[in-house]
Amino acid sequence: MYGLELWRPFTAACFLGPPSIGWLMNAYYLFEYGSSLERAFGTAQHLVFILLQVAFLSLFSAFFGQPFFAQSVITSMLHVLSRSMPNQQVKWLIFTVPYWTLPYGLMASDVLQAGNAAAALPHVLGILSGHLYYFHKKVWPRMDGGEDWLVPPAFLTRIVEGGDRSKAKDSISIALKTRKKGKGKKLGS
């Protein structure tokens, strides 16, 4: 980054390439798996994930000479999701495959389309950065003496999640717990 151009990592993470079928597929993957990750971990944790991926991939991409890394961000999302629920079946193109194979299938698909093994580099970088996140979020805290240092700060959770939303969730859960449950009536009688 020359001259404190702090937006450059974010634009490099957002550039999916020129409009094409591949661009549409990448935009779909970004939406589908990004929203799945956000639903699984929460909005604040998803924001922490994105910021860490931009930081990791900025370093990795600069080291390997990759100017754009949106494909790596998508692959890192896929890797974290596939590690979180490896045996879940997911539909990819026309195939139903276990989730753990999806990042590798996407990498193999891009390599076959490009006809060049160098097309695997963005996926490898995404898998590495996703694994760094997954290890420090899920594996390290379970080890003896490990600590989850990727917890979003409370102020970020308040801003992003919204305090009213959690109050609404609490009031709904209280209402469901305190509702009266009767025998009910059989339908048609």
Side-chain angles (χ1 to χ4, degrees):
M1 291 187 303
Y2 304 103
L4 285 176
E5 296 170 339
L6 300 176
W7 64 86
R8 287 195 183 262
F10 296 102
T11 55
C14 293
F15 184 68
L16 293 173
S20 64
I21 295 296
W23 184 89
L24 286 174
M25 294 296 290
N26 285 334
Y28 170 75
Y29 292 147
L30 186 61
F31 171 76
E32 182 67 28
Y33 301 119
S35 59
S36 294
L37 193 66
E38 184 178 5
R39 280 192 303 273
F41 293 153
T43 305
Q45 188 64 51
H46 187 253
L47 182 60
V48 168
F49 170 81
I50 293 293
L51 292 174
L52 281 172
Q53 292 308 306
V54 167
F56 288 153
L57 290 168
S58 292
L59 294 172
F60 292 161
S61 295
F63 184 73
F64 286 102
Q66 296 288 311
F68 306 110
F69 50 87
Q71 185 65 50
S72 300
V73 172
I74 293 168
T75 306
S76 67
M77 286 179 189
L78 278 172
H79 182 72
V80 170
L81 282 169
S82 71
R83 297 287 295 175
S84 299
M85 40 193 154
N87 295 323
Q88 180 178 338
Q89 297 292 311
V90 65
K91 192 112 170 128
W92 180 59
L93 300 175
I94 59 170
F95 306 105
T96 301
V97 296
Y99 222 141
W100 70 267
T101 62
L102 203 52
Y104 306 105
L106 188 60
M107 178 172 54
S109 166
D110 280 358
V111 167
L112 289 173
Q113 286 177 9
N116 188 354
L121 183 60
H123 297 284
V124 171
L125 295 178
I127 289 170
L128 287 174
S129 65
H131 189 72
L132 277 171
Y133 175 84
Y134 182 81
F135 178 80
H136 287 289
K137 183 68 184 162
K138 301 289 182 183
V139 177
W140 180 256
R142 292 184 188 155
M143 298 175 92
D144 192 27
E147 183 180 337
D148 181 9
W149 55 274
L150 296 177
V151 177
F155 77 89
L156 182 64
T157 304
R158 265 193 323 275
I159 292 170
V160 176
E161 303 281 342
D164 297 337
R165 178 184 281 176
S166 62
K167 289 178 187 175
K169 283 183 181 178
D170 291 341
S171 69
I172 289 172
S173 69
I174 289 170
L176 288 173
K177 287 178 185 175
T178 59
R179 71 180 179 183
K180 294 181 182 178
K181 296 178 184 175
K183 289 183 182 179
K185 289 188 176 183
K186 196 173 191 178
L187 292 177
S189 59

